[in-house]
Amino acid sequence: MSTWTDMRDKALEAMKEGALDVVEETKQKFLDNFIDAGMPAIEAYAELFSATVQEQAKNETGWVKIRDMFVIPLAVKAALGVSSGILSMVQGKTGKAATA
């Protein structure tokens, strides 16, 4: 097995044995960090992906051109918008509940 597989297996085994103590504060910090650092990285990747697909559409025809020019970029943007909105809503509601 590879080193990565060994590390993964050890981490999973440690989690099963309770090494990962997930309390409310841990969940809040994870959510805050994911929104602050993770989402911008995902959005940057999605923007680059959509731009690349739209650039490739210039060499396509028919349905593939429509898909690459409009459908995929719109679906990516919509999915990111919904995900971002849900995470922000959850962050606000759970943040208020944790302080109450």
Side-chain angles (χ1 to χ4, degrees), residues 72-94:
I72 290 175
L74 181 62
V76 168
K77 189 173 204 139
L80 283 174
V82 168
S83 299
S84 182
I86 290 171
L87 287 173
S88 294
M89 180 182 68
V90 168
Q91 181 186 34
K93 287 187 184 284
T94 57

Side-chain angles (χ1 to χ4, degrees), residues 44-63:
Y45 175 80
E47 186 176 318
L48 181 60
F49 176 81
S50 293
T52 301
V53 169
Q54 285 180 317
E55 184 63 32
Q56 292 172 349
K58 295 176 182 176
N59 299 323
E60 304 290 351
T61 60
W63 168 246

Side-chain angles (χ1 to χ4, degrees), residues 7-58:
M7 287 177 17
R8 181 203 63 202
D9 291 346
K10 287 177 185 175
L12 289 172
E13 189 60 35
M15 284 189 281
K16 287 178 187 174
E17 293 174 6
L20 189 59
D21 185 23
V22 180
V23 295
E24 186 59 34
E25 184 180 350
T26 307
K27 292 184 266 184
Q28 282 297 317
K29 284 182 180 178
F30 173 82
L31 189 58
D32 293 344
N33 288 333
F34 185 78
I35 289 171
D36 293 343
M39 283 304 291
I42 292 169
E43 288 168 351
Y45 175 80
E47 186 176 318
L48 181 60
F49 176 81
S50 293
T52 301
V53 169
Q54 285 180 317
E55 184 63 32
Q56 292 172 349
K58 295 176 182 176

